[in-house]
Amino acid sequence: MPDLTHHVRRLRELADALEARSQPAADPLAPHPDTLEVISHRHTKRGQLNYAVPDALQLHKRIRRYNADHDKPHGDIVALALDSWLRAEGYPPDQLQAPEKR
């Protein structure tokens, strides 16, 4: 009998990946509940995200204005927007776990 261990492992990985995919929402750019959970934790580990973006889009100015209107930290605005867009394009996070509560 052939060894099917490799195939079983691949099928499990595929099943996990499909389970992690977000179901399309009515508004594909609405923040995902898992993302909101991660961002809501005060002690979430954070990393710097530095990319050159076109000045003509006025992203820095628009982020500052949104922050002033909604009192949402700049990093959270960027994280929510980018995560929503990537999920809508079919790129959800591999495994998203909320940080442990302290």
Side-chain angles (χ1 to χ4, degrees):
M1 185 168 203
D3 181 11
L4 301 176
T5 307
H6 172 72
H7 297 294
V8 170
R9 188 175 329 114
R10 284 295 296 145
L11 285 172
R12 284 187 182 141
E13 289 172 1
L14 287 170
D16 289 344
L18 286 171
E19 186 176 325
R21 290 195 111 210
S22 302
Q23 294 299 320
D27 178 5
L29 296 180
H32 191 278
D34 292 346
T35 304
L36 292 172
E37 174 72 16
V38 169
I39 286 177
S40 72
H41 286 23
R42 184 174 163 193
H43 299 289
T44 297
K45 183 179 177 190
R46 295 184 177 252
Q48 192 69 31
L49 185 65
N50 293 319
Y51 287 98
V53 295
D55 287 334
L57 296 176
Q58 302 175 354
L59 294 174
H60 292 93
K61 177 181 178 180
R62 292 160 57 195
I63 289 170
R64 284 192 303 272
R65 286 174 49 199
Y66 188 91
N67 166 264
D69 292 345
H70 299 277
D71 196 33
K72 181 151 315 266
H74 296 180
D76 289 358
I77 296 167
V78 173
L80 287 166
L82 191 52
D83 180 72
S84 296
W85 183 77
L86 288 170
R87 285 176 186 272
E89 291 292 314
Y91 296 92
D94 292 332
Q95 293 180 347
L96 188 60
Q97 297 177 347
E100 294 180 19
K101 295 180 180 176
R102 294 182 181 209

